[in-house]
Amino acid sequence: MDTTKFLTQLKKQTPNEDEFHQAVTEVLESIEEVYNQNPKFEAHKIIERIVMPDRIIMFRIPWMRDNGDIEVNQGYRIEFNSAIGPYKGGLRFHPEVSLGTFKFLGFEQVFKNALTTLPMGGGKGGSNFDPKGKSDNEVMRFCQSFMTELYRHIGPETDVPAGDIGVGGREIGFLYGQYKRIVNRFEGVLTGKGLEWGGSWIRKQATGYGTVYITQHWLKEHGTDFKGKTVAISGSGNVAIYAAEKVMELGGKVITMSDSTGCIVDEEGIDLKVIKLIKEVERGRIKEYLESRYNAKYSDERNDVWKVKCDIALPCATQNELDIEAAKALVKNGVLVVAEGANMPVTADAVHYLLGQKIGMIPGKAANAGGVAVSGLEMTQNSMKFKWSPKEVDEKLATIMENIHEACVKYGKRADGYVDYVKGANVAGFLKVANAMIDHGLI
Ligand code: NDP
Ligand code: 2IT
């Protein structure tokens, strides 16, 4: 495979999709060796096929503001690859998304879902709708309009969406209600559902917990653990909050968190009760933390989270939030490991730099796979019409994260003993999906 030539061609065919190109480049660089060792991949044109979604659905979402004004947003669902199971992946509501954003997220999801060992293909979707500043009723009307189009494309055995940025329990509730109303069936078409109506225990916590579980394995391999470690976390949403919770449970100290407007540093250790109140209940801004914790500091530069001295960095906000400058600052301050709670939060040059410095670098498709893994377990429970206990789900999540860690080590270990988790995750995910595609013939 001539990677450079292939990428040049891809960029020509899919202009203005930088994030997608970034995600594809990383995978191609990682798998080049294994691809060239197995001529069957080239013979079956696996690369050409795997970078092209099965289908892209784009639709109009008209909805009405409380004051009667009409708004129109763009909706997307990328059904990327179903070689190993129904399309599965979250919905993102954020004003800055584009087709390229959803293609990058859908592409990543294909390999991530393969790593979980559960039968899930990859998909992603959402809208440029911004839930911030909207009333509950406006969010409900938007979700109902979104689902009125999306319902015809999804189903428990076809495509199972979930949450992502801007889509949490409230949105999943409104989306589910509208789906059920249209199809007149109570079925597991979405994950992240409420605990009283088909949701799984631990789904809310799963991504953050999983990120910490896999980091725990990295630390163990290096003869240490979370006890007494200082941790920098970006974001203060679903992933960040539950990553922080698990770090604290394991004896680590989280000293910084952020949102899109700024970051806080609390050297005494973040008080998570305050963060949960501001973010989960009041839907407020991170700056409000200072009203309860007078010794904390605030900066309106959100990426200042990477300037603190820490042992472990968990970027849990959004893509490309940790750049080369931030990576250099972290290394200078003695960071041991960076684990991506978010999808692709570390820029490509920063990833290369961290790998070059032999810092632990656990990529999102491994580190944040716990969320979709428990979504897979939610699907299983829905099919069985049964519910496991929180302990059972948490144990299964821990085992899945341990297996993902093992897969990364298996395929990422270099001759000098350093484990390139980026390569390991990409190769392990790719082999599973590529082999399934070959088994299915030319489709
Ligand atoms: P939330 O919406 O709950 O939280 C997102 C957090 O990131 C908020 O603090 C938000 O700040 C911040 N953020 C969002 N967009 C930006 C931006 N453009 N610049 C700076 N900060 C931003 O989302 P999640 O916690 O669910 O998702 C966080 C990341 O984790 C995403 O990359 C997502 O794809 C990934 N992920 C999520 C999973 C899940 O189960 N939820 C599973 C696997 C990965 P503000 O409130 O100011 O916007
Ligand atoms: O990026 C992700 O893995 C998610 N947003 C979760 C997807 C899911 O289907 O639970």
Side-chain angles (χ1 to χ4, degrees):
M1 173 181 51
D2 183 340
T3 310
T4 317
K5 198 170 148 201
F6 181 84
L7 287 168
T8 310
Q9 188 66 20
L10 182 77
K11 287 174 190 172
K12 229 188 250 167
Q13 281 168 354
T14 58
N16 308 319
E17 296 180 3
D18 295 354
E19 291 164 333
F20 176 55
H21 303 150
Q22 183 182 339
V24 172
T25 304
E26 185 203 281
V27 170
L28 293 194
E29 283 172 354
S30 292
I31 62 159
E32 194 160 8
E33 194 184 334
V34 61
Y35 195 85
N36 290 334
Q37 281 165 357
N38 292 277
K40 64 177 179 178
F41 296 136
E42 181 84 49
H44 285 86
K45 288 270 188 289
I46 290 298
I47 288 301
E48 287 80 351
R49 289 161 60 196
I50 215 166
V51 301
M52 203 179 283
D54 287 358
R55 68 191 64 82
I56 295 176
I57 300 150
M58 287 176 70
F59 50 97
R60 178 177 65 244
I61 315 163
W63 59 281
M64 194 172 276
R65 299 294 295 251
D66 290 340
N67 66 5
D69 286 355
I70 288 172
E71 301 261 350
V72 185
N73 286 98
Q74 178 73 62
Y76 304 83
R77 185 71 184 167
I78 316 273
E79 296 185 335
F80 217 110
N81 188 296
S82 62
I84 62 169
Y87 306 105
K88 180 82 196 88
L91 296 172
R92 177 176 293 192
F93 293 169
H94 192 277
E96 279 156 35
V97 294
S98 65
L99 180 60
T101 314
F102 290 117
K103 281 181 72 178
F104 118 66
L105 289 163
F107 184 73
E108 291 277 296
Q109 199 80 45
V110 173
F111 304 97
K112 182 196 305 189
N113 293 4
L115 285 173
T116 67
T117 68
L118 301 175
M120 299 181 288
K124 199 85 188 191
S127 172
N128 60 351
F129 173 75
D130 186 359
K132 274 199 209 95
K134 307 292 188 300
S135 70
D136 285 351
N137 279 332
E138 288 175 331
V139 171
M140 180 179 73
R141 284 195 295 275
F142 173 81
C143 288
Q144 289 177 340
S145 184
F146 185 88
M147 188 52 86
T148 302
E149 177 58 33
L150 187 68
Y151 89 93
R152 72 193 78 241
H153 304 290
I154 62 178
E157 312 297 337
T158 310
D159 183 355
V160 183
D164 194 79
I165 290 177
V167 178
R170 175 183 62 172
E171 290 74 17
I172 293 292
F174 294 148
L175 290 164
Y176 191 74
Q178 184 71 352
Y179 178 86
K180 179 169 67 67
R181 178 195 202 185
I182 296 171
V183 306
N184 196 25
R185 281 191 305 273
F186 196 104
E187 56 191 17
V189 71
L190 294 168
T191 58
K193 297 187 291 300
L195 290 172
E196 307 297 332
W197 42 276
S200 173
W201 288 109
I202 311 290
R203 175 60 190 89
K204 185 168 78 170
Q205 295 85 351
T207 312
Y209 280 16
T211 303
V212 175
Y213 289 155
I214 198 166
T215 308
Q216 218 181 349
H217 285 291
W218 187 95
L219 291 167
K220 195 170 161 199
E221 291 253 315
H222 292 79
T224 186
D225 56 29
F226 267 100
K227 274 195 210 87
K229 297 281 187 304
T230 301
V231 183
I233 295 184
S234 64
S236 48
N238 174 260
V239 180
I241 287 176
Y242 293 96
E245 183 170 279
K246 188 53 80 176
V247 166
M248 292 175 195
E249 216 178 288
L250 296 174
K253 183 159 93 167
V254 178
I255 59 164
T256 176
M257 292 181 87
S258 63
D259 65 16
S260 57
T261 42
C263 72
I264 48 159
V265 179
D266 188 343
E267 296 288 349
E268 291 165 12
I270 297 276
D271 184 339
L272 206 55
K273 281 197 301 300
V274 176
I275 296 283
K276 282 186 180 179
L277 182 69
I278 298 169
K279 289 294 174 180
E280 294 188 327
V281 182
E282 296 168 353
R283 297 182 189 273
R285 300 282 82 207
I286 196 112
K287 195 176 185 174
E288 293 160 31
Y289 184 82
L290 269 60
E291 293 166 17
S292 315
R293 300 277 288 185
Y294 309 118
N295 293 335
K297 293 192 177 61
Y298 175 78
S299 160
D300 56 16
E301 179 40 69
R302 62 188 164 89
N303 287 341
D304 280 356
V305 285
W306 312 125
K307 291 190 181 152
V308 302
K309 185 166 169 46
C310 65
D311 304 303
I312 297 158
L314 304 178
C316 296
T318 194
Q319 62 270 19
N320 292 326
E321 52 159 320
L322 196 165
D323 62 11
I324 184 78
E325 299 311 322
K328 284 183 178 166
L330 285 169
V331 172
K332 199 165 150 224
N333 280 324
V335 77
L336 303 170
V337 54
V338 178
E340 294 185 320
N343 284 308
M344 209 168 74
V346 184
T347 61
D349 52 354
V351 171
H352 286 135
Y353 174 75
L354 292 169
L355 293 175
Q357 296 291 314
K358 298 199 176 169
I359 303 294
M361 168 61 219
I362 313 180
K365 47 176 92 66
N368 68 43
V372 74
V374 174
S375 278
L377 300 177
E378 184 170 325
M379 289 164 72
T380 307
Q381 293 169 86
N382 292 165
S383 301
M384 294 193 298
K385 303 208 170 357
F386 186 75
K387 197 160 166 172
W388 289 316
S389 69
K391 186 167 172 282
E392 284 171 306
V393 179
D394 198 23
E395 281 170 3
K396 289 184 202 307
L397 168 64
T399 305
I400 289 170
M401 297 315 294
E402 186 177 359
N403 291 339
I404 294 175
H405 182 266
E406 258 175 42
C408 291
V409 174
K410 180 175 173 190
Y411 292 104
K413 199 164 205 151
R414 290 186 190 157
D416 64 0
Y418 174 74
V419 179
D420 179 345
Y421 283 74
V422 178
K423 180 176 177 191
N426 284 329
V427 171
F430 171 78
L431 286 176
K432 190 168 171 186
V433 177
N435 286 327
M437 286 171 73
I438 292 172
D439 289 346
H440 293 167
L442 188 56
I443 54 169

